[in-house]
Amino acid sequence: MDSIFHEKQPSGNMDDSGFFSIQVISNALRVWGLELILFNSREYQSLMINPINEKAFICNYKEHWFTIRKLGQQWFNLNSLLTGPELISDTYLALFLAQLQQEGYSIFVIRGNLPECEAEHILGIMRVQQQQRPRLIGEDEAQTSAGYVHM
């Protein structure tokens, strides 16, 4: 006998932690006229585009997504696991992307006209300099508890 109560099947597109699949993210970006291309795909590599000529990348590793975005003329690592945005130089960008690939990240190029944002306008007028790199969230506490406090 069929029950009218069916157990809801888990979706492969989203889970309880808020993780979204690449299909969901791709569809959401398509609404804004944006397209995702796998960074290490033959299709993209055949274009021979220098990464600094792009506008943004989305990176994924084990259900964690983050963005590397060009604002004004500068690149920023917008990883939520960091205490703040990390400035990435043009010369370091390709190395950083290669390092992420070596660590097992999937990297996607975002193509199209990104929506305007206030940070884009401000950083189009002025450049920022980062005196100190942001740390991983919890890194200070881990070092303190291990006795590695730097004064």
Side-chain angles (χ1 to χ4, degrees), residues 34-37 39 44 51-59 67-71 75-76 78 93 97 107-112 114:
L34 301 170
E35 176 188 12
L36 288 180
I37 301 173
F39 180 65
Y44 182 75
I52 64 170
N53 295 323
E54 297 295 354
K55 297 174 189 159
F57 299 89
I58 294 179
C59 308
T67 300
I68 301 169
R69 169 101 192 253
K70 189 175 207 173
L71 295 165
W75 284 95
F76 294 88
L78 303 176
L93 178 65
L97 292 170
I107 303 171
F108 300 88
V109 182
I110 302 175
R111 303 308 290 285
L114 296 170

Side-chain angles (χ1 to χ4, degrees), residues 10-149:
S11 168
N13 292 322
M14 184 185 127
D15 68 19
D16 293 339
S17 71
F19 171 78
F20 290 98
S21 70
I22 187 61
Q23 291 83 8
V24 170
I25 292 173
S26 180
N27 287 338
L29 290 173
R30 207 171 290 129
V31 170
W32 292 93
L34 301 170
E35 176 188 12
L36 288 180
I37 301 173
L38 188 60
F39 180 65
N40 66 348
S41 68
R42 277 195 205 127
E43 170 194 1
Y44 182 75
Q45 294 300 317
S46 69
L47 299 174
M48 304 285 289
I49 297 172
N50 186 329
I52 64 170
N53 295 323
E54 297 295 354
K55 297 174 189 159
F57 299 89
I58 294 179
C59 308
N60 173 256
Y61 182 70
K62 293 187 177 179
E63 299 187 358
H64 176 68
W65 293 96
F66 71 93
T67 300
I68 301 169
R69 169 101 192 253
K70 189 175 207 173
L71 295 165
Q73 295 302 310
Q74 295 177 288
W75 284 95
F76 294 88
N77 174 0
L78 303 176
N79 190 336
S80 63
L81 297 179
L82 296 174
T83 55
E86 177 183 26
L87 184 61
I88 300 174
S89 70
D90 285 355
T91 53
Y92 182 59
L93 178 65
L95 293 171
F96 184 56
L97 292 170
Q99 176 187 347
L100 291 173
Q101 283 183 304
Q102 285 292 318
E103 293 174 6
Y105 280 82
S106 297
I107 303 171
F108 300 88
V109 182
I110 302 175
R111 303 308 290 285
N113 293 320
L114 296 170
E116 290 188 28
C117 69
E118 187 175 352
E120 178 76 33
H121 294 297
I122 293 169
L123 293 170
I125 298 169
M126 61 189 332
R127 295 177 68 85
V128 296
Q129 291 185 1
Q130 194 160 47
Q131 303 303 321
Q132 188 173 12
R133 288 183 60 213
R135 296 167 132 353
L136 283 172
I137 292 176
E139 190 174 38
D140 291 333
E141 294 82 8
Q143 286 183 351
T144 302
S145 65
Y148 296 113
V149 179

